[in-house]
Short mmCIF file of all heavy atoms in Angstrom, two decimals:
data_model
loop_
_atom_site.label_atom_id
_atom_site.label_comp_id
_atom_site.label_asym_id
_atom_site.label_seq_id
_atom_site.Cartn_x
_atom_site.Cartn_y
_atom_site.Cartn_z
N ALA A 1 -0.09 -4.48 -12.50
CA ALA A 1 -0.45 -3.18 -11.93
C ALA A 1 -1.63 -2.57 -12.69
O ALA A 1 -2.55 -2.01 -12.07
CB ALA A 1 0.75 -2.24 -11.97
N ASN A 2 -1.61 -2.66 -14.00
CA ASN A 2 -2.72 -2.11 -14.79
C ASN A 2 -4.01 -2.86 -14.53
O ASN A 2 -5.09 -2.26 -14.44
CB ASN A 2 -2.38 -2.16 -16.27
CG ASN A 2 -1.27 -1.17 -16.65
OD1 ASN A 2 -1.10 -0.17 -15.96
ND2 ASN A 2 -0.54 -1.46 -17.72
N LEU A 3 -3.88 -4.20 -14.40
CA LEU A 3 -5.07 -4.99 -14.09
C LEU A 3 -5.62 -4.63 -12.72
O LEU A 3 -6.83 -4.55 -12.53
CB LEU A 3 -4.73 -6.48 -14.16
CG LEU A 3 -4.53 -7.09 -15.55
CD1 LEU A 3 -4.08 -8.54 -15.43
CD2 LEU A 3 -5.81 -6.98 -16.37
N GLY A 4 -4.71 -4.39 -11.76
CA GLY A 4 -5.17 -4.00 -10.43
C GLY A 4 -5.85 -2.65 -10.44
O GLY A 4 -6.89 -2.46 -9.80
N ALA A 5 -5.28 -1.69 -11.17
CA ALA A 5 -5.89 -0.37 -11.27
C ALA A 5 -7.24 -0.45 -11.96
O ALA A 5 -8.21 0.21 -11.56
CB ALA A 5 -4.96 0.59 -12.01
N TRP A 6 -7.31 -1.27 -13.03
CA TRP A 6 -8.58 -1.42 -13.73
C TRP A 6 -9.63 -2.05 -12.83
O TRP A 6 -10.78 -1.62 -12.79
CB TRP A 6 -8.37 -2.28 -14.96
CG TRP A 6 -9.65 -2.58 -15.71
CD1 TRP A 6 -10.29 -1.78 -16.61
CD2 TRP A 6 -10.46 -3.76 -15.57
NE1 TRP A 6 -11.44 -2.38 -17.05
CE2 TRP A 6 -11.57 -3.59 -16.43
CE3 TRP A 6 -10.34 -4.92 -14.82
CZ2 TRP A 6 -12.55 -4.57 -16.54
CZ3 TRP A 6 -11.32 -5.88 -14.93
CH2 TRP A 6 -12.41 -5.71 -15.79
N SER A 7 -9.22 -3.07 -12.07
CA SER A 7 -10.14 -3.74 -11.16
C SER A 7 -10.65 -2.77 -10.10
O SER A 7 -11.84 -2.74 -9.78
CB SER A 7 -9.46 -4.94 -10.50
OG SER A 7 -10.30 -5.53 -9.54
N ALA A 8 -9.73 -1.97 -9.51
CA ALA A 8 -10.14 -1.00 -8.50
C ALA A 8 -11.08 0.04 -9.10
O ALA A 8 -12.04 0.48 -8.47
CB ALA A 8 -8.91 -0.32 -7.90
N GLY A 9 -10.80 0.45 -10.34
CA GLY A 9 -11.66 1.43 -10.98
C GLY A 9 -13.06 0.90 -11.20
O GLY A 9 -14.04 1.63 -11.06
N VAL A 10 -13.17 -0.39 -11.54
CA VAL A 10 -14.48 -0.99 -11.72
C VAL A 10 -15.19 -1.14 -10.39
O VAL A 10 -16.38 -0.85 -10.26
CB VAL A 10 -14.33 -2.36 -12.43
CG1 VAL A 10 -15.66 -3.10 -12.44
CG2 VAL A 10 -13.81 -2.17 -13.84
N ARG A 11 -14.45 -1.60 -9.37
CA ARG A 11 -15.05 -1.84 -8.06
C ARG A 11 -15.58 -0.54 -7.44
O ARG A 11 -16.62 -0.54 -6.81
CB ARG A 11 -14.03 -2.47 -7.11
CG ARG A 11 -13.69 -3.91 -7.41
CD ARG A 11 -12.60 -4.39 -6.50
NE ARG A 11 -12.99 -4.29 -5.10
CZ ARG A 11 -12.13 -4.39 -4.09
NH1 ARG A 11 -10.83 -4.56 -4.33
NH2 ARG A 11 -12.55 -4.31 -2.86
N TYR A 12 -14.84 0.54 -7.61
CA TYR A 12 -15.19 1.80 -6.94
C TYR A 12 -15.65 2.86 -7.94
O TYR A 12 -15.52 4.05 -7.67
CB TYR A 12 -13.98 2.30 -6.16
CG TYR A 12 -13.46 1.30 -5.14
CD1 TYR A 12 -12.16 0.82 -5.21
CD2 TYR A 12 -14.27 0.82 -4.12
CE1 TYR A 12 -11.68 -0.10 -4.28
CE2 TYR A 12 -13.81 -0.09 -3.20
CZ TYR A 12 -12.50 -0.55 -3.28
OH TYR A 12 -12.04 -1.46 -2.37
N ARG A 13 -16.21 2.42 -9.05
CA ARG A 13 -16.65 3.38 -10.07
C ARG A 13 -17.70 4.32 -9.52
O ARG A 13 -17.73 5.51 -9.84
CB ARG A 13 -17.17 2.63 -11.28
CG ARG A 13 -17.67 3.54 -12.41
CD ARG A 13 -18.14 2.71 -13.58
NE ARG A 13 -17.07 1.90 -14.12
CZ ARG A 13 -17.26 0.92 -15.02
NH1 ARG A 13 -18.49 0.67 -15.45
NH2 ARG A 13 -16.25 0.23 -15.48
N ALA A 14 -18.58 3.81 -8.66
CA ALA A 14 -19.64 4.66 -8.11
C ALA A 14 -19.06 5.79 -7.29
O ALA A 14 -19.62 6.90 -7.26
CB ALA A 14 -20.60 3.81 -7.27
N PHE A 15 -17.94 5.56 -6.59
CA PHE A 15 -17.31 6.63 -5.81
C PHE A 15 -16.78 7.72 -6.73
O PHE A 15 -16.89 8.91 -6.42
CB PHE A 15 -16.17 6.05 -4.97
CG PHE A 15 -16.62 5.41 -3.69
CD1 PHE A 15 -17.96 5.36 -3.35
CD2 PHE A 15 -15.71 4.85 -2.82
CE1 PHE A 15 -18.39 4.78 -2.18
CE2 PHE A 15 -16.13 4.25 -1.63
CZ PHE A 15 -17.47 4.22 -1.32
N ARG A 16 -16.18 7.32 -7.87
CA ARG A 16 -15.70 8.33 -8.82
C ARG A 16 -16.87 9.15 -9.37
O ARG A 16 -16.78 10.37 -9.52
CB ARG A 16 -14.95 7.65 -9.97
CG ARG A 16 -13.66 6.94 -9.55
CD ARG A 16 -12.98 6.33 -10.75
NE ARG A 16 -11.79 5.60 -10.38
CZ ARG A 16 -10.57 6.13 -10.24
NH1 ARG A 16 -10.43 7.44 -10.45
NH2 ARG A 16 -9.54 5.41 -9.91
N GLN A 17 -17.96 8.49 -9.67
CA GLN A 17 -19.13 9.20 -10.18
C GLN A 17 -19.73 10.11 -9.12
O GLN A 17 -20.23 11.21 -9.43
CB GLN A 17 -20.16 8.19 -10.68
CG GLN A 17 -19.69 7.39 -11.88
CD GLN A 17 -20.60 6.23 -12.22
OE1 GLN A 17 -21.29 5.69 -11.35
NE2 GLN A 17 -20.61 5.82 -13.47
N LEU A 18 -19.67 9.68 -7.86
CA LEU A 18 -20.15 10.53 -6.77
C LEU A 18 -19.31 11.79 -6.65
O LEU A 18 -19.84 12.90 -6.46
CB LEU A 18 -20.12 9.75 -5.45
CG LEU A 18 -20.61 10.50 -4.22
CD1 LEU A 18 -22.12 10.70 -4.28
CD2 LEU A 18 -20.24 9.76 -2.94
N ALA A 19 -17.98 11.64 -6.75
CA ALA A 19 -17.10 12.80 -6.68
C ALA A 19 -17.40 13.78 -7.81
O ALA A 19 -17.42 15.01 -7.61
CB ALA A 19 -15.64 12.35 -6.73
N ALA A 20 -17.68 13.26 -9.00
CA ALA A 20 -17.99 14.15 -10.13
C ALA A 20 -19.32 14.85 -9.92
O ALA A 20 -19.46 16.03 -10.25
CB ALA A 20 -18.01 13.33 -11.42
N ARG A 21 -20.29 14.16 -9.35
CA ARG A 21 -21.62 14.77 -9.17
C ARG A 21 -21.58 15.92 -8.18
O ARG A 21 -22.24 16.95 -8.38
CB ARG A 21 -22.60 13.71 -8.70
CG ARG A 21 -23.97 14.27 -8.36
CD ARG A 21 -24.99 13.19 -8.13
NE ARG A 21 -26.30 13.75 -7.81
CZ ARG A 21 -27.40 13.03 -7.70
NH1 ARG A 21 -27.37 11.73 -7.91
NH2 ARG A 21 -28.55 13.61 -7.39
N PHE A 22 -20.81 15.78 -7.10
CA PHE A 22 -20.78 16.80 -6.05
C PHE A 22 -19.54 17.69 -6.14
O PHE A 22 -19.24 18.42 -5.20
CB PHE A 22 -20.85 16.15 -4.68
CG PHE A 22 -22.20 15.60 -4.33
CD1 PHE A 22 -22.49 14.26 -4.55
CD2 PHE A 22 -23.19 16.41 -3.81
CE1 PHE A 22 -23.73 13.73 -4.24
CE2 PHE A 22 -24.44 15.89 -3.50
CZ PHE A 22 -24.71 14.55 -3.72
N ASN A 23 -18.83 17.63 -7.28
CA ASN A 23 -17.60 18.41 -7.45
C ASN A 23 -16.65 18.18 -6.28
O ASN A 23 -16.05 19.11 -5.74
CB ASN A 23 -17.93 19.92 -7.56
CG ASN A 23 -18.74 20.23 -8.81
OD1 ASN A 23 -18.47 19.68 -9.87
ND2 ASN A 23 -19.71 21.11 -8.68
N GLY A 24 -16.55 16.92 -5.89
CA GLY A 24 -15.73 16.55 -4.75
C GLY A 24 -14.37 16.01 -5.14
O GLY A 24 -13.95 16.07 -6.29
N ARG A 25 -13.71 15.46 -4.16
CA ARG A 25 -12.35 14.95 -4.33
C ARG A 25 -12.34 13.44 -4.10
O ARG A 25 -12.79 12.97 -3.06
CB ARG A 25 -11.41 15.63 -3.34
CG ARG A 25 -9.95 15.21 -3.46
CD ARG A 25 -9.10 15.99 -2.49
NE ARG A 25 -7.70 15.59 -2.57
CZ ARG A 25 -6.74 16.10 -1.80
NH1 ARG A 25 -7.05 17.02 -0.90
NH2 ARG A 25 -5.50 15.71 -1.94
N TYR A 26 -11.85 12.71 -5.07
CA TYR A 26 -11.72 11.26 -4.97
C TYR A 26 -10.29 10.95 -4.53
O TYR A 26 -9.33 11.38 -5.17
CB TYR A 26 -12.01 10.61 -6.33
CG TYR A 26 -11.80 9.12 -6.38
CD1 TYR A 26 -12.85 8.25 -6.08
CD2 TYR A 26 -10.58 8.57 -6.73
CE1 TYR A 26 -12.68 6.87 -6.15
CE2 TYR A 26 -10.39 7.20 -6.79
CZ TYR A 26 -11.44 6.35 -6.50
OH TYR A 26 -11.25 5.00 -6.55
N GLU A 27 -10.15 10.22 -3.44
CA GLU A 27 -8.84 9.92 -2.89
C GLU A 27 -8.69 8.42 -2.74
O GLU A 27 -9.58 7.74 -2.20
CB GLU A 27 -8.64 10.58 -1.53
CG GLU A 27 -8.71 12.09 -1.57
CD GLU A 27 -8.58 12.70 -0.18
OE1 GLU A 27 -9.58 12.71 0.56
OE2 GLU A 27 -7.46 13.15 0.16
N SER A 28 -7.55 7.90 -3.19
CA SER A 28 -7.25 6.48 -3.06
C SER A 28 -5.81 6.33 -2.59
O SER A 28 -4.89 6.95 -3.12
CB SER A 28 -7.43 5.76 -4.40
OG SER A 28 -7.08 4.40 -4.28
#
């Protein structure tokens, strides 16, 4: 589970950074 979460975080890191830039909401 941790490996899956880490993999998803790496794959979609740009989405997390986008949410931070626009003060938005990241949903998974």
Side-chain angles (χ1 to χ4, degrees):
N2 290 335
L3 286 175
W6 176 83
S7 175
V10 171
R11 288 175 60 194
Y12 303 121
R13 180 179 299 169
F15 278 0
R16 295 181 183 274
Q17 294 170 333
L18 181 71
R21 175 170 180 173
F22 287 95
N23 295 320
R25 182 177 179 181
Y26 176 91
E27 298 177 281
S28 177

